Amino acid sequence: MPLASLGYDGDQSRSQCPLRDENLASVPAAAAKLHGGRCRDILVWFALIAWSDMEAVSFSDSKAPHILVVDDDPATRRMVTRFFEEHDIPASSAGGRHDFGRQLQLNEPSLILLDLRLGQDDGLDLLREIRSNSDVPVIITTGHRLDEIDRVVGLELGADDYVTKPFGLRELLARVRAVLRRHELGRLARAREPQRGGYKFGSWRLERQGRRLLAADGSPITLTKGEYALLVAFLESPQRPLSREQLLQATRVHEDIFDRSIDVQVLRLRRKLETDASAPRVIQTERGVGYLFALPVEPL
């Protein structure tokens, strides 16, 4: 997509909203220019600027992250990678599936920024391929606000977050830092977990080590990252109603996605656990509340 279609006309965007200016040495001065409400995202931008500054990930004690930007527009790739590098985050870029594979051979990324509209390539197919081989964090980008279905499917396939074009570079940086921070905290939490353990329910067994779901005959059942997080949330609170909000938090689905994204995840999990997903006995619907995991659970 051409850069202008993404809303990156520098002079125009800065005149409309000074907070999009990369040089924000004086936030009060920028705020003074907002008289009359010309920037409808003022509160969001102030929050993201504060969040980005206060919650920036420190990489002094670990390997610096490397961001891989996958977008079919060369100008967008140059702009985003340059912005990351100006903030001491190494970045590389790829224009499609072929370039993506070549970049993976050169350097393993800490996070992938993936445009779902890649010309002849399908970003969702590429995301599915990434998730089948790696747990690397992925932030997806969509072309316009009406692409809700793409965002939902992307999150269901294992994306960690999304941004909608046109996006501000500071907002993007804040989201990247937040996803990297959550990923690192999750890694540290897993490192502290005992190597053995899991849950047994009905004829099923979930092993925390390796995140494996085993059927009665011992055959493994593939779970996406979202499905695994949802199942663990149920197993940690069996036979107790859980609201959609609780499940959203447990699976870390982005807050802008509506509650029915949880319904989709539950349906996908039911298809793997239930004999008849249309008449569920394991994960039951509690009308007006959410869902309940009906089977007793035995910790291992």
Side-chain angles (χ1 to χ4, degrees):
M1 301 178 197
L3 186 62
S5 70
L6 305 183
Y8 293 121
D9 183 343
D11 293 336
Q12 181 181 10
S13 64
R14 289 173 183 173
S15 65
Q16 291 176 344
C17 182
L19 290 179
R20 286 180 180 260
D21 198 317
E22 296 177 15
N23 181 15
L24 288 177
S26 174
V27 173
K33 298 179 183 179
L34 296 174
H35 179 68
R38 285 179 292 176
C39 178
R40 59 187 175 86
D41 293 324
I42 178 171
L43 295 178
V44 174
W45 284 104
F46 270 125
L48 286 170
I49 290 169
W51 183 21
S52 176
D53 291 340
M54 292 187 296
E55 296 293 337
V57 177
S58 173
F59 305 110
S60 58
D61 299 327
S62 60
K63 181 181 176 181
H66 182 90
I67 310 301
L68 177 55
V69 179
V70 186
D71 196 295
D72 64 339
D73 179 46
T76 299
R77 297 198 302 271
R78 288 194 299 270
M79 177 185 64
V80 174
T81 54
R82 183 171 63 246
F83 184 79
F84 283 139
E85 290 170 348
E86 288 172 353
H87 289 78
D88 301 320
I89 301 179
S92 57
S93 65
R97 180 184 295 273
H98 178 73
D99 289 343
F100 175 77
R102 182 170 55 85
Q103 287 294 336
L104 287 184
Q105 294 177 355
L106 296 174
N107 198 340
E108 182 178 355
S110 305
L111 181 144
I112 298 171
L113 181 67
L114 175 63
D115 186 12
L116 295 184
R117 307 291 185 179
L118 290 175
Q120 295 182 348
D121 295 328
D122 188 331
L124 290 174
D125 285 343
L126 188 54
L127 174 60
R128 188 179 292 106
E129 182 178 325
I130 293 169
R131 273 295 162 258
S132 67
N133 297 287
S134 172
D135 200 30
V136 61
V138 177
I139 297 178
I140 56 177
T141 65
T142 58
H144 53 80
R145 297 184 182 276
L146 298 180
D147 281 347
E148 181 192 343
I149 185 63
D150 284 347
R151 301 197 299 270
V152 171
V153 172
L155 290 168
E156 297 299 337
L157 289 176
D160 295 85
D161 200 352
Y162 74 86
V163 290
T164 305
K165 297 179 179 178
F167 50 78
L169 292 176
R170 282 186 173 269
E171 177 185 2
L172 176 62
L173 178 61
R175 291 191 182 279
V176 165
R177 285 171 166 167
V179 169
L180 287 173
R181 185 170 56 251
R182 291 199 302 266
H183 187 74
E184 178 65 11
L185 291 174
R187 185 189 67 80
L188 294 175
R190 290 192 297 272
R192 290 193 297 266
E193 289 179 352
Q195 291 299 305
R196 293 183 298 174
Y199 304 94
K200 182 178 180 181
F201 55 98
S203 60
W204 298 92
R205 179 188 182 98
L206 181 70
E207 295 181 351
R208 296 183 72 105
Q209 183 180 14
R211 299 186 174 193
R212 295 200 311 163
L213 177 63
L214 303 176
D217 60 359
S219 59
I221 306 298
T222 302
L223 295 176
T224 66
K225 184 168 62 174
E227 290 167 354
Y228 174 82
L230 182 62
L231 180 56
V232 169
F234 280 127
L235 296 179
E236 290 180 345
S237 301
Q239 299 177 316
R240 189 181 75 178
L242 295 176
S243 68
R244 286 177 173 82
E245 181 180 355
Q246 290 173 304
L247 295 173
L248 281 168
Q249 293 175 352
T251 55
R252 293 177 178 172
V253 174
H254 191 275
E255 62 186 359
D256 287 349
I257 291 296
F258 301 122
D259 284 356
R260 66 173 174 270
S261 64
I262 282 294
D263 298 332
V264 173
Q265 289 196 59
V266 168
L267 178 59
R268 290 163 61 100
L269 192 55
R270 278 173 169 167
R271 288 171 178 168
K272 296 181 177 182
L273 297 178
E274 304 277 4
T275 303
D276 182 1
S278 63
R281 295 180 176 272
V282 179
I283 303 176
Q284 299 180 355
T285 302
E286 291 286 309
R287 296 193 179 278
V289 179
Y291 295 95
L292 177 142
F293 194 84
L295 297 181
V297 176
E298 177 186 349
L300 300 176

